[in-house]
Each structure stands twice: as structure tokens, then as C-alpha cells.
Amino acid sequence: MTVDNLAPKIARRDKQAFSDLYEAMRKLVFSVCLGIVKNSDYAEDLTQDTFVTVWEKTYMFKGGSYKAWILSIAKNKSLNFLKRQQRQVFTEYEDNPAFVTNSFEDDMALGEVLKAALACLDVKDREIVLLKNSGVKTKEIATLFDLPRGTVSWRYSEALKKLRKYLEEKA
């Protein structure tokens, strides 16, 4: 039975179908989370959170690839986790003047430049670049976006060219 065939059963609260889904997808979900957060303990927690959300929200699945829907939940949970972590670290720096140095300010300026450069990409290309640079494998990105691996590689390469051109123009 494919993962896509499990969605209707899980929507009807079939625990065996959910168990089958977990066994079929847990390693892939874990690798997506790990590729983004770079910490196995956090990735394990995010994997569990992903499956809890799948169990609770399968009724919201609108069709298409159930596998891609699950992986997008994992990706979003991981990215949101990183945002919360970054906010927490920034607040710690902001609250302690000893941490604020010219180097930190230079890093912030560089961050703004990179943010602006990433904004010149379309959403999917930006996500591909961020995932790829977070350590997620091309094959996993292809699965996540339901694209051929070659297309993901090409889009990543083209996005890097756009970023390079943007940064050269701003330098």
C-alpha cells in the first residue's frame, strides 16, 4: 500500500494505517528535520511533532501527494523551530550589551544583504536554496516538492547564479 492510499484511512482515525504511515515515513521525515535543524535530538522531537500534526490535521489534506504534504509539514515545523531559536539568541544578545560589537553589527548588515538577495528569488527557488544549504539532499527536496531531481539541481544552480549576480551588483 502506498503512502497516498493511507490518507483516507488516517482521516477515518485508522490507527493501523497511521502506524503503517509512521513506519514508511519516519526516516524520511527525520532526515528532512535533521537537514534543517542540524541536531538529532531536536530533529527527533520535530519528527514526532510532525506525525502528531498529521494525525490531528489529515482532514485538512486537500489531495495531491500525501507524502509531499507530510514532508512540507516537517519542513515548516523545522524552519519555524529555527526562527524561534534565532529570535531567542538575538534577544539574549540584545539584552546583554557586552555581546554587541562591531563584528555583530557587521554580521547583521551582512544578514540584511543576504535576506535582500534571497528576496530576489521566487518562493520555490528560495526554499530550494535554503533547504539545500541546510544540508537537505537533492533527492529529499525533489520528493518534498514533487519535482524531478534534475529539475531541483537546475533550479538550485540557477538560483545561485541569480544570487551571485545580485551580490556582485550590490558590492
Side-chain angles (χ1 to χ4, degrees), residues 6-14 17 54-55 58-60 66:
L6 295 173
K9 292 180 178 185
I10 294 169
R12 291 189 306 269
R13 313 308 271 176
D14 181 331
V54 168
W55 178 253
T58 290
Y59 70 89
M60 296 176 73
Y66 194 51

Side-chain angles (χ1 to χ4, degrees), residues 32 48 51 56 67 69 72 113 115 125-127 165:
V32 167
Q48 295 304 317
F51 282 103
E56 293 173 347
K67 186 176 189 177
W69 183 73
S72 69
V113 170
K115 187 188 284 185
D125 289 345
R126 183 170 46 246
E127 288 178 343
K165 181 180 177 187

Side-chain angles (χ1 to χ4, degrees), residues 1 6 9-10 12-24 55:
M1 178 167 286
L6 295 173
K9 292 180 178 185
I10 294 169
R12 291 189 306 269
R13 313 308 271 176
D14 181 331
K15 291 181 181 175
Q16 183 57 51
F18 185 72
S19 178
D20 293 345
L21 174 75
Y22 180 79
E23 287 306 313
W55 178 253

Side-chain angles (χ1 to χ4, degrees), residues 143-160:
T143 301
L144 180 63
F145 291 117
D146 197 27
L147 293 171
R149 226 188 299 184
T151 301
V152 171
S153 295
W154 177 80
R155 288 184 78 157
Y156 178 69
S157 175
E158 291 299 307
L160 290 182

Side-chain angles (χ1 to χ4, degrees), residues 29 33 37 41-51 74 77-79 81 84:
V29 169
C33 295
V37 301
D41 292 332
Y42 293 144
E44 187 62 42
D45 289 345
L46 290 163
T47 298
Q48 295 304 317
D49 287 349
T50 298
F51 282 103
K77 284 192 171 293
S78 299
L79 291 173
F81 173 81
R84 282 190 307 274

Side-chain angles (χ1 to χ4, degrees), residues 93 96-109:
Y93 280 118
N96 187 342
F99 285 118
V100 179
T101 65
N102 288 341
S103 175
F104 179 74
E105 291 168 354
D106 290 345
D107 288 347
M108 292 299 293

